[in-house]
């Protein structure tokens, strides 16, 4: 399949790049785990965390995400899964509907319209499974120390403070505010909230700081991460918490999902 040709015609560079990097992270991990333990199929290992992040696009209303952007996201998702040797019937069905909607709206150029049947045929063909792990993407970030961000997960929003970057322009080190929201919180709503600690088996609550790779573009093409405010000098109060174990944990945009569920006693 001519993956690059189809993706280029979507005219959505950062959407495609972000999805590509997200899938590469998950496929790399899935293939690494295959050598060490029994696990579900590769697609079953990739899709749940991927959709938990990208549902902020797929399940958002039209005031949050334009329908044409959502159509492009479905088509990019199906194409990139195919590129990495994966396929899911429901996602392919959404992508085929996206072809029709994008053409009906004349959203892309004539070449996209003329080649739609070709692209559709290729997308429905069985993908070739990868034999080697893909390269991991870099950890570049456009967020900065003293940013306050909100991360949407499972329909709830969790705010976090960026203390610093792990390296120059890489991997924000974040600490969560206590409390969850059903919308992006305002800075005023966060000002009186303490830091969210992690409870250990002995009952001790400790500070919980995380270096998170994959928090890259601002704004986030996946619509999962929102910048609430910048240049905020006061982090959430952590004086009630014991010191952390180590400086911080090393995480990424997908591992942090499990961390959030543990910290806030939430379920997927």
């Amino acid at each position: 399949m001519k993956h690059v040709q189809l993706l280029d015609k979507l005219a959505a560079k950062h959407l495609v790049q972000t999805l590509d990097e997200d899938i590469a992270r998950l496929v790399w991990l899935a293939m690494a785990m295959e050598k060490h333990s029994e696990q579900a199929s590769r697609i079953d290992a990739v899709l749940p965390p991927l959709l938990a992040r990208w549902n902020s696009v797929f399940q958002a209303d039209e005031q949050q995400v334009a329908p044409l952007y959502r159509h492009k996201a479905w088509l990019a998702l199906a194409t990139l899964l195919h590129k990495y040797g994966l396929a899911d019937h429901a996602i392919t069905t959404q992508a085929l509907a996206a072809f029709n909607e994008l053409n009906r709206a004349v959203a892309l150029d004539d070449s996209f319209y003329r080649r739609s049947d070709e692209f559709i045929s290729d997308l429905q063909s069985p993908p070739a499974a990868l034999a080697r792990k893909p390269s991991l993407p870099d950890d570049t970030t456009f967020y900065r120390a003293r940013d306050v961000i909100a991360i949407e997960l499972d329909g709830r929003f969790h705010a976090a403070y960026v203390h610093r970057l792990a390296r120059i322009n890489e991997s924000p080190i974040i600490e969560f505010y206590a409390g969850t929201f059903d919308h992006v919180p305002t800075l005023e709503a966060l000002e009186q909230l303490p830091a969210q600690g992690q409870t250990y088996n002995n009952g001790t609550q400790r500070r919980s700081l995380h270096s998170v790779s994959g928090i890259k573009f601002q704004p986030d093409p996946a619509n999962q991460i929102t910048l609430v405010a910048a240049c905020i000098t006061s982090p959430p109060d952590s004086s009630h918490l014991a010191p952390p174990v180590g400086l911080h944990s090393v995480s990424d945009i997908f591992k942090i999902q499990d961390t959030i569920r543990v910290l806030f006693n939430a379920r997927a």
Side-chain angles (χ1 to χ4, degrees):
M1 178 179 176
K2 308 172 183 68
H3 302 103
V4 173
Q5 294 180 27
L6 173 52
L7 294 168
D8 283 348
K9 294 204 176 293
L10 294 179
K13 175 182 176 181
H14 293 119
L15 163 65
V16 170
Q17 181 181 346
T18 303
L19 253 175
D20 196 344
E21 293 182 356
D22 284 353
I23 295 173
R25 286 182 189 278
L26 291 169
V27 171
W28 187 97
L29 179 61
M31 294 181 70
M33 293 298 292
E34 287 170 357
K35 296 182 178 181
H36 303 289
S37 64
E38 293 184 4
Q39 64 168 24
S41 67
R42 202 174 290 177
I43 188 69
D44 289 336
V46 168
L47 273 190
L50 184 67
L51 290 179
R53 169 158 160 72
W54 283 85
N55 278 340
S56 298
V57 168
F58 298 134
Q59 297 180 356
D61 61 38
E62 294 185 8
Q63 284 68 47
Q64 297 173 304
V65 175
L68 291 180
Y69 186 87
R70 185 181 296 108
H71 297 323
K72 289 182 179 183
W74 279 120
L75 190 45
L77 174 57
T79 305
L80 286 164
L81 286 175
H82 197 281
K83 168 188 170 182
Y84 286 98
L86 304 172
D88 176 80
H89 177 74
I91 291 173
T92 301
T93 299
Q94 291 282 2
L96 298 182
F99 271 108
N100 293 332
E101 292 300 322
L102 290 167
N103 283 328
R104 184 179 62 82
V106 196
L108 299 172
D109 62 20
D110 288 344
S111 178
F112 177 84
Y113 175 79
R114 291 194 305 270
R115 298 187 63 183
S116 288
D117 289 343
E118 173 191 349
F119 288 141
I120 288 172
S121 177
D122 287 345
L123 197 58
Q124 292 177 307
S125 66
L130 292 189
R132 300 173 60 183
K133 294 196 297 289
S135 299
L136 281 172
D138 62 44
D139 297 331
T140 299
T141 185
F142 291 91
Y143 294 84
R144 293 294 177 261
R146 300 188 295 178
D147 283 348
V148 175
I149 63 175
I151 302 175
E152 184 180 6
L153 181 66
D154 306 328
R156 303 291 289 170
F157 292 83
H158 309 270
Y161 184 85
V162 179
H163 283 277
R164 59 191 182 278
L165 304 183
R167 295 167 294 278
I168 295 175
N169 297 333
E170 291 185 357
S171 302
I173 297 175
I174 66 173
E175 183 173 28
F176 288 98
Y177 291 82
T180 62
F181 300 83
D182 59 7
H183 56 274
V184 176
T186 63
L187 184 61
E188 290 72 22
L190 300 174
E191 286 177 343
Q192 302 305 315
L193 292 181
Q196 176 68 41
Q198 180 172 351
T199 303
Y200 284 73
N201 290 337
N202 63 0
T204 302
Q205 280 202 324
R206 296 184 177 275
R207 291 187 71 189
S208 184
L209 287 87
H210 312 273
S211 169
V212 188
S213 58
I215 295 182
K216 188 168 190 174
F217 289 116
Q218 202 286 111
D220 178 19
N223 196 42
Q224 185 189 31
I225 300 168
T226 303
L227 179 65
V228 175
C231 302
I232 303 304
T233 56
S234 300
D237 180 18
S238 60
S239 60
H240 62 296
L241 300 172
V245 176
L247 294 177
H248 55 260
S249 66
V250 177
S251 187
D252 67 19
I253 192 64
F254 298 108
K255 294 176 186 175
I256 202 68
Q257 294 178 3
D258 292 333
T259 299
I260 290 172
R261 292 177 181 129
V262 169
L263 290 179
F264 296 93
N265 298 312
R267 295 182 179 180

